[in-house]
Amino acid sequence: MVIELAHFIYALSLAVALLMAWAGLGREPLVAKRAAIALFVLCALAFMGLEWAYVTSDFSVVNVILNSHSLKPLVYKIAGAWGNHEGSMLLWICMLAFFGLLIAVMPTLKDEVLRQKALGVQGALSAGFIAFSLITSNPFTRTENVPFDGNSLNPVLQDLGLAFHPPTLYLGYVGFSAVFSLAAAALLAGRVDRAWASAVKPFVAIAWLALTAGITMGAKWAYYELGWGGWWFWDPVENASLLPWLTGTALLHSLLVLETREALKRWTILLAVATFSLSLLGTFLVRSGVLSSVHAFAVDPMRGTFILALLALYCGGAFALYAWRAPSLRTIRLFTPVSREGGIVANNLILVTMAATVLTGTLYPLVMDALELGQISVGAPYYNATVVMLALPLLILMGIGPFLPWKRMGRGTFIKPLGICAAITLVAVATIGIDGAWPLIGFGCAVWLMVSSLALLRTMSLKNIAMSLGHFGLGLAVIGMLGTMVWKQEDIKVMKTGDTITVGRHTLTFEGVTDVFGPNYGAYEASLRYGNETLHPQKRWYPVSESETTEAAIELSLLDDLYVVLGERDLKAGPDAWVIRVSTHPFVAALWAGFAMVTLSGVAMLGYSVRRKRT
Amino acid sequence: MKKSWLTILPLAFILLLVAMFMDRLATPRMSGAIDSPLIGKPVPPELGITAKPPYIINLFASWCTPCAIEHPYLLDMHKSGIKIIGIAYKDSTANISKYLKLGGDPFAEVKYDEKGDAGITLGITGVPESFAVDASGIIRARQQGPFGDEKSVKDFLETLK
């Protein structure tokens, strides 16, 4: 009964979304606002209906059979609802409706015409995706042969960080829908000005910080759970989340120029439209099966065609609107290259070039295949050679930009502080001493960025703190990246009880393997003595889904992570001989701390972008 | 307005992308998804099947309703001369002989897997499941769950050609 009710409510929400689109794009501002509120309530109720089926393990619902199991811990039953295509689509739509609600009630949005039109666009977006969900991927479908139990969730996905990684990421992707709607509304109304920039900023802040947090959680999960010791693999789906992040970051900065100087109008609108378009492209790539990836959902050509139609409709529509209206948005303000605006333009150019580079790498195999030039895969070497090269000048510029004054060619004001920062950087890098030219340059750029970001705090304002946090965090993260890329050490050994292994500054003694049992798995667990402690890497076996996972034992410290993985039993070397892999990853803590700071800078930005409008 | 044509570029790019993706969706291809790690590999010797390939391996049980639903398709296959090796999954000889007496026997040979070891070897998620083995003894396809219609049987047998 609950399921039928939720299903009905879901169908009703399609009608409400259509009403919202009609009212918003027409002349009914009040109807559009109320429809936006109603839409969110309906979508939230529908989602709660699906959660009800998961929590009570209602195996008459196909989606629950395929993605849950009665033995699963409650929190994973709840998370199971969005661990699959249909359920995650419903969550996606809930967020679209949530951002519709935000547009309807956001106090920083002063222009009612803009609000109304943006609600119309958001309503149209919601309607398209609800139709997609109802027609091709309905989560409420029932079955007649009700099984005794479900097929479980992939045990690799049974991890708290991962359970909340997709929803956070969706919040980011979908958050840019509000930015997209507001950009389309601005084009429709022909108004792109300071007020627009201030109104859009909180939405950009929410979406950007959620996307940053989502990507960080994904990277952390990959590092701790997959047991490969890496945190970024340039997988097409990872790239799909990086693309809107890059253009979103560019947008964040160009909005500052628009807000302060009413310049870069067309460019900012273009970025706003492009960022959500890239989110949609990512959704299409993941869900259509066009690319093969570890993240891909089950392949269904009907779904791919439907999303492609939505992509063509929304992005095509918005870019057509852009082609038609943007020429009338003239910017007359000029600025010199060495100014804050000049710095932000350079930052934007680099970020967008990075996005274009990643997009090229991601789509290249598809283009090659479509032109029948053979099957090619683009991997880490391409990205390391291109993106890293672009990152270095970006890091240097990020240290300089915030010191430059707006508009005019500033002289003495920035030379002195920058000179001091450069001197500190040189001294720091020279004292630490690093082997190899590239690591040295990378480390130097990171330290430079951190020092100059700290110097920004001479004037304490929320705005400055946000900027300093974001830039400093990135510098810190770069040091972590260098640690995992350049300075990591590794050894693989077949070990018997009593054997020792030494990697870097760590020595471990192998003490054998025992059998242990968890709630829904059995495992081999190795014991390795390390100082006063014992580390326990595991190899788990989940009988219900008949799959195996590797649980690395990780000893964290500020300086480096010690990473121990239990491999296969090596019967040739003896009955109790096991393959053990030990590696150290220096400064991983810096990576997570850096990413956390970047995310926090988004929170600070949200804080000041909402607060300042009230006064 | 010398530069205004530039604003059309993003639209042109997106249309080009859409056209390319349409082409990709329209061309059927191997999805890249792996149905079973056993596909393309020889039949595991642990199963103890000595019959000469090609044949179909079908895991079934008398307690399994979907197996009964699938049964007519197996009988049809048997009639058209296809060798089917049955593996009775977690079931007793007495129950199986009763089951086959009632419904007809499509199997060239029936192996008994009382503890479910063969099920683990083949990595099944339930019964029924079927595996198509070609003339050189290589597994070519896996059918998860019962054959539901003529087409599913045809597609399955197609892999042996």
Side-chain angles (χ1 to χ4, degrees), chain A residues 216-367:
Chain A
T216 308
M217 284 160 130
K220 249 190 124 151
W221 170 75
Y223 178 74
Y224 289 112
E225 183 83 5
L226 285 183
W228 302 337
W231 55 277
W232 190 266
F233 301 98
W234 299 107
D235 174 277
V237 174
E238 289 176 342
N239 292 349
S241 68
L242 183 64
L243 287 169
W245 189 84
L246 289 170
T247 55
T249 310
L251 173 63
L252 203 80
H253 290 85
S254 76
L255 268 181
L256 290 174
V257 178
L258 181 57
E259 197 184 20
T260 324
R261 298 267 299 136
E262 285 216 347
L264 302 183
K265 286 185 187 177
R266 286 187 206 170
W267 176 247
T268 308
I269 291 284
L270 181 62
L271 280 177
V273 175
T275 302
F276 184 62
S277 300
L278 286 170
S279 301
L280 283 184
L281 180 71
T283 310
F284 169 73
L285 290 179
V286 180
R287 292 169 199 265
S288 66
V290 159
L291 287 179
S292 21
S293 148
V294 286
H295 293 75
F297 289 92
V299 182
D300 177 350
M302 168 77 175
R303 284 177 189 167
T305 314
F306 206 122
I307 306 188
L308 187 62
L310 290 179
L311 183 88
L313 179 68
Y314 296 134
C315 302
F319 281 123
L321 192 62
Y322 179 80
W324 175 39
R325 284 296 181 92
S328 65
L329 300 171
R330 306 290 314 268
T331 306
I332 5 147
R333 320 228 168 210
L334 297 170
F335 46 82
T336 55
V338 185
S339 63
R340 184 72 70 86
E341 297 94 313
I344 288 178
V345 169
N347 136 310
N348 266 233
L349 287 177
I350 296 180
L351 283 169
V352 170
T353 311
M354 276 178 158
T357 310
V358 175
L359 185 66
T360 309
T362 311
L363 296 181
Y364 192 71
L366 285 179
V367 177

